[in-house]
Amino acid sequence: MKNVPFKGIIAYPITPFDANENVDINLYKTLLEKLIVNGAHGVAPLGSTGVMPYLTDSEKEAITEATIQQTNGRVPVLVGVSNLTTERTIYHAKFAEKAGATAAMIIPMSYWKLTDDEIVKHYDAVASKISIPIMAYNNPATGGVDMSPALLKRLLEIPNVTMIKESTGDVQRMHFLRKELGEDVAFYNGSNPLALAAFAAGAAGWCTAAPNLIPKLNVDLYNAIQNNDLKAAQDIFYKQVNLLKFIVNKGLPRAIKSGLEIQGQNGGHLRSPLQPLSESEVAELKQVLNGIQV
Amino acid sequence: MKNVPFKGIIAYPITPFDANENVDINLYKTLLEKLIVNGAHGVAPLGSTGVMPYLTDSEKEAITEATIQQTNGRVPVLVGVSNLTTERTIYHAKFAEKAGATAAMIIPMSYWKLTDDEIVKHYDAVASKISIPIMAYNNPATGGVDMSPALLKRLLEIPNVTMIKESTGDVQRMHFLRKELGEDVAFYNGSNPLALAAFAAGAAGWCTAAPNLIPKLNVDLYNAIQNNDLKAAQDIFYKQVNLLKFIVNKGLPRAIKSGLEIQGQNGGHLRSPLQPLSESEVAELKQVLNGIQV
Amino acid sequence: MKNVPFKGIIAYPITPFDANENVDINLYKTLLEKLIVNGAHGVAPLGSTGVMPYLTDSEKEAITEATIQQTNGRVPVLVGVSNLTTERTIYHAKFAEKAGATAAMIIPMSYWKLTDDEIVKHYDAVASKISIPIMAYNNPATGGVDMSPALLKRLLEIPNVTMIKESTGDVQRMHFLRKELGEDVAFYNGSNPLALAAFAAGAAGWCTAAPNLIPKLNVDLYNAIQNNDLKAAQDIFYKQVNLLKFIVNKGLPRAIKSGLEIQGQNGGHLRSPLQPLSESEVAELKQVLNGIQV
Amino acid sequence: MKNVPFKGIIAYPITPFDANENVDINLYKTLLEKLIVNGAHGVAPLGSTGVMPYLTDSEKEAITEATIQQTNGRVPVLVGVSNLTTERTIYHAKFAEKAGATAAMIIPMSYWKLTDDEIVKHYDAVASKISIPIMAYNNPATGGVDMSPALLKRLLEIPNVTMIKESTGDVQRMHFLRKELGEDVAFYNGSNPLALAAFAAGAAGWCTAAPNLIPKLNVDLYNAIQNNDLKAAQDIFYKQVNLLKFIVNKGLPRAIKSGLEIQGQNGGHLRSPLQPLSESEVAELKQVLNGIQV
């Protein structure tokens, strides 16, 4: 078995800003701590939820260091280090490793659509410069490129590319990953509404922003699956599915911020051009949250 | 609970032709009998697998009568009665009821995209002329129109529209059906590669052509789900997933015919323009079938 | 140059029904006559506009004969003979030829997606049974299959397949047809909103239902192109573009029927499940028609 | 008429790199000079062709200054200033204005899909900080968001948003822009294969990387349109359409670099992860270039 340090619920913290749209590190640590004490099996800063592409290099470094320090070894840390250029990706991957990250998550961001060869060369260049394992992340909606199962197979030939995260929203991709890549390859689900289907298909974990709002339901779903209790898992999933759909449809950073505020917590500010949910969207989210019987 | 006479594995027989491309009723009965004795919980003639749209009115009537006669009450019979015009749909629905069908399956076939109002009016006109329950069938790929969950909700207000079959291949549709329409509404999966995900989501049954080739694996999957044994279900599903994908990709009538022949049975002829699988496709199917360890 | 009997504006008559949803042949002839005297360079019965797939075999034959009789040689007649099965396509193609049609239009209707080989075999089987030229018609939205330029090239190797009609709505397909198939191959535009772009790209003609409502604007556009007067063509096109978009969006049979009625003519009835435009849609169409300054 | 300083052929220079993947400003100036002397009616640095998103802030500033200096008022300069955050977009827009740019081009880059309100607020915030006109650029393929015609209409209410560039590849968008926004609004085509259709639809200009390789054919097309000579325009367009398709399919920076080298010029290096065309792609490009009879 390759080096696979994650399983279960891998929680995405948001990156909160202050009123001047500067990163609010203290609030970040508070929100991160809540994820850990509420049972997340891992944390993943600088993902889409953490608006990584909207941050400067030094802001990314500050978030990385704050995460390692606050987590303090209680759960493994998966740091997003993706960048449009190979040179910057290497830079952030090395920074994450040095800071103490457990693993690095890399999506092939692409303004110009990358060929398969370009993508392999990109991962190879980064992987050769670090020793920690890499999770290759496929999300055409945000990354701009859809990595085929065949390409993912090529990436897994790179020694420290050991994990795959799938966010296409197509459960058949997971069937392929399990069937073609073998039971030894760990694949993770990044599509919230597919949480039940992905676990049913054998996903090792679920990377999700939902634990910011409903950590118990997320962890309970994983436990039901571990207990081979499909009926319970189905029940628990249907309690949360409307929220999962809502936060995906509205954009995770915006939806999580509003949800935290509805729950009486501080969600911080967003960085422009991202704007808070509208009043009617907030009302809808209240209704969804109230509709959850835990 | 509304009138819902189907659950489990609902098997689609193919409609075989003779060398002159006329329907071969004797071979049809033989293949149908095999589905029943191999454990199908229901049979569904005149579906896509049965190339219903390629048949004349009298051929459809002959298939309907042969099915009722051969089944002889052992399992419920779901007859496809869809037609481009409302008048012909009513005609075939009445014929099916009179012949003894348990229920009618109706997809809103559309050359011209139908509006929601046109679709409701169509179902309403047919439903008012028969007493047996109707399964509304959503399959944009073959029917040409994608019925939204909101539209399906409207259809379910028609008293004898009691069942929904979803073949979009998107498991999230099933989440919506279960969540919005309530646990009382029976929904069926018509997308073979989603068999596991759909059962995990609570589907009452699986309408499938696969029992023509692998009846035991299909029934075993349903039984594992009934036993709340997800690990076993996962195992059984992964044994058959490659075949499920193959028969969908190649077109069910063509793939089932070839599969039967590989298994040493008579699959009959196809009606033009449909042509048998190519030699290389047959070789691929052999490999897929051989790869299944029952 | 191959046998190419069409150019300019090829007008689609609608197939009107009486109050009992039976074909109204007398009204059909009246509407057809109007197309001819208003300048159409050809007529095309039994197309999508003529709701061909909703008609019985004998209704199709009656429309074919009525068209030949009423046209009486004044303009060429292109008869739609498409059918799901090869056998029925051959039947209708032979009927059309015997009745006196100038050419036959064939779209590969497909419930089951056809392979390229199946499509070639289908056209080949039909073409070998008739002597009149065939227009191959590509319209994935209604036919269910998208014929690639490479496949169209193969079809053109069949001696009496001499014309291609493109309705994908993608002008780049026409560039390919012209560039790859050579200037000798006649291609026709079937996408109303692309009328100007298609003529600019070199289309030999425009198959359209619009002459039922705005024959002069349609013919004027063709004339401006013939006169190499792009500025005039642009002007004439922008006068009609909103109507072209409206009738496509609402479905041609429904929109033309309503438009005729707004213009004080008898548009007949539709056959269920097709229903008339809603009141608000009729109001919108009135506004579009009023907005045209001829 | 609003402030609209561009028409005709607006040429995109590439941003060449040296062997260490640093920007090669001298080579940039050489390539830019060639565009100007070969007849471009305007130049547009820091677009997609200029790999703007792959550059650091200081590299963007150096390119902006080099362009103004080298152009020296001979043709207007349109500088790309887009950025994921509003703050950085304002920064680059102000820099461009101060450096002497004629106008700024802004695409709403989006990692998280932006709502219409977020996009309007973004443009408004930037526009209020500069006095030069803005070209709003719609390109879902690279920007990640598709601005509807209705949204573009809202943007045009901002005083110095005076131009629209459309790169969806759908000529119907241009019909809408012309029809709904009025003849006073200048729209530009950014989809190379639509060059003829867009000019036929009334586009004021064509933003394109093609003049790096075939400047005379690009300018000739515009001149034919200006002379109202559609037949000539068609002829000239079909000479270049295969090249236009090739450079779009392969990615403009990669294809232009290779094309320059085939023509005996220095195309510089690319910045990783972008890699040169493969040998077989280079061979194909050679064939396309050789096939052009000027």
Side-chain angles (χ1 to χ4, degrees), chain D residues 228-240:
Chain D
N228 197 32
D229 188 347
L230 177 59
K231 285 196 199 322
Q234 203 181 90
D235 236 49
I236 294 164
F237 173 71
Y238 276 114
K239 282 183 183 162
Q240 61 192 295

Side-chain angles (χ1 to χ4, degrees), chain B residues 2 22 34-35 39 76 98 139-140 155 171 185 247 266 269 291:
Chain B
K2 286 174 136 188
N22 294 314
K34 215 191 64 173
L35 291 174
K98 197 172 162 191
N139 188 343
L155 294 183
V171 73
V185 170
I247 62 179
N266 182 2
H269 293 261

Side-chain angles (χ1 to χ4, degrees), chain B residues 7-289:
Chain B
K7 62 162 193 175
I9 304 301
I10 299 131
Y12 287 121
I14 63 167
T15 298
F17 299 87
D18 65 20
N20 296 319
E21 299 198 5
N22 294 314
V23 174
D24 184 339
I25 285 285
N26 285 332
L27 180 52
Y28 174 76
K29 288 184 180 174
T30 304
L31 295 172
L32 179 70
E33 180 64 22
K34 215 191 64 173
L35 291 174
I36 297 168
V37 300
N38 280 332
H41 305 106
V43 293
L46 298 175
S48 299
T49 304
V51 293
M52 186 265 279
Y54 301 74
L55 303 180
T56 65
D57 285 357
S58 58
E59 289 169 337
K60 293 176 196 172
E61 293 167 19
I63 289 284
T64 300
E65 287 175 331
T67 309
I68 308 291
Q69 183 192 3
Q70 184 71 28
T71 305
N72 198 20
R74 288 176 289 173
V75 295
V77 176
L78 175 68
V79 178
V81 301
S82 314
N83 203 284
L84 263 183
T85 70
T86 304
E87 186 268 328
R88 280 289 94 183
T89 310
I90 291 171
Y91 175 86
H92 289 294
K94 289 170 75 169
F95 187 93
E97 177 171 41
K98 197 172 162 191
T102 314
M105 181 162 66
I106 301 179
I107 186 172
M109 298 176 82
S110 63
Y111 186 84
W112 285 105
K113 299 268 171 282
L114 298 175
T115 65
D116 282 10
D117 286 345
E118 285 173 336
I119 290 172
V120 172
K121 203 164 176 175
H122 179 68
Y123 275 94
D124 210 34
V126 181
S128 70
K129 294 293 197 306
I130 58 174
S131 303
I132 53 175
I134 291 172
M135 184 185 287
Y137 177 20
N138 189 35
N139 188 343
T142 52
V145 67
D146 187 1
M147 295 193 284
S148 70
L151 173 55
L152 292 173
K153 204 169 178 174
R154 284 178 67 186
L155 294 183
L156 286 166
E157 293 168 9
I158 301 172
N160 50 337
V161 176
T162 62
M163 301 170 281
I164 289 181
K165 178 182 162 200
E166 256 286 333
S167 291
T168 47
D170 177 7
V171 73
Q172 298 193 43
R173 294 291 183 99
M174 295 178 193
H175 299 158
F176 182 93
L177 294 176
R178 164 74 172 260
K179 190 76 186 168
E180 292 302 306
L181 307 184
E183 298 199 10
D184 276 5
V185 170
F187 66 90
Y188 299 82
N189 171 41
S191 172
N192 286 306
L194 285 193
L196 174 61
F199 277 133
W206 173 21
C207 302
T208 173
N212 287 287
L213 301 178
I214 50 167
K216 187 173 177 338
L217 281 175
N218 305 141
V219 172
D220 284 354
L221 177 61
Y222 180 66
N223 289 339
I225 296 290
Q226 290 299 101
N227 297 334
N228 196 33
D229 188 348
L230 177 58
K231 285 197 202 319
Q234 203 181 89
D235 236 48
I236 295 163
F237 173 71
Y238 277 115
K239 282 183 183 160
Q240 61 192 294
V241 64
N242 282 358
L243 181 70
L244 299 178
K245 280 167 60 181
F246 183 92
I247 62 179
V248 168
N249 288 343
K250 298 303 178 184
L252 296 167
R254 301 170 71 222
I256 296 298
K257 169 195 153 62
S258 284
L260 288 169
E261 287 163 5
I262 290 169
Q263 293 182 340
Q265 302 172 73
N266 182 2
H269 293 261
L270 297 162
R271 177 169 281 182
S272 299
L274 298 182
Q275 301 295 328
L277 295 187
S278 70
E279 271 182 50
S280 69
E281 289 171 322
V282 170
E284 194 188 340
L285 176 53
K286 266 184 197 160
Q287 208 167 14
V288 170
L289 282 168

Side-chain angles (χ1 to χ4, degrees), chain D residues 188-205:
Chain D
Y188 299 81
N189 170 42
S191 172
N192 286 305
L194 285 193
L196 175 61
F199 277 134

Side-chain angles (χ1 to χ4, degrees), chain C residues 60-77:
Chain C
K60 293 177 196 172
E61 294 168 18
I63 289 284
T64 300
E65 287 174 334
T67 309
I68 309 291
Q69 181 191 5
Q70 185 70 28
T71 304
N72 198 21
R74 287 177 290 173
V75 295
V77 176

Side-chain angles (χ1 to χ4, degrees), chain C residues 171-172 174-176 178-180 193-194 196-197 199-202 225-226 228-231 234 237-239 241-242 245, chain D residues 171-172 174-176 178-180 193-194 196-197 199-202 225-226 228-231 234 237-239 241-242 245:
Chain C
V171 73
Q172 297 192 44
M174 295 177 194
H175 298 158
F176 182 92
R178 164 73 173 261
K179 189 75 185 170
E180 290 303 304
L194 284 193
L196 174 61
F199 277 134
I225 295 290
Q226 291 298 100
N228 196 32
D229 187 348
L230 176 58
K231 286 194 199 322
Q234 202 182 89
F237 173 71
Y238 276 114
K239 283 183 183 164
V241 65
N242 283 357
K245 280 167 59 181
Chain D
V171 72
Q172 297 192 45
M174 295 177 192
H175 298 158
F176 181 92
R178 164 73 173 261
K179 190 74 186 171
E180 293 302 306
L194 285 193
L196 175 61
F199 277 134
I225 295 290
Q226 290 299 98
N228 197 32
D229 188 347
L230 177 59
K231 285 196 199 322
Q234 203 181 90
F237 173 71
Y238 276 114
K239 282 183 183 162
V241 65
N242 282 358
K245 281 167 59 183

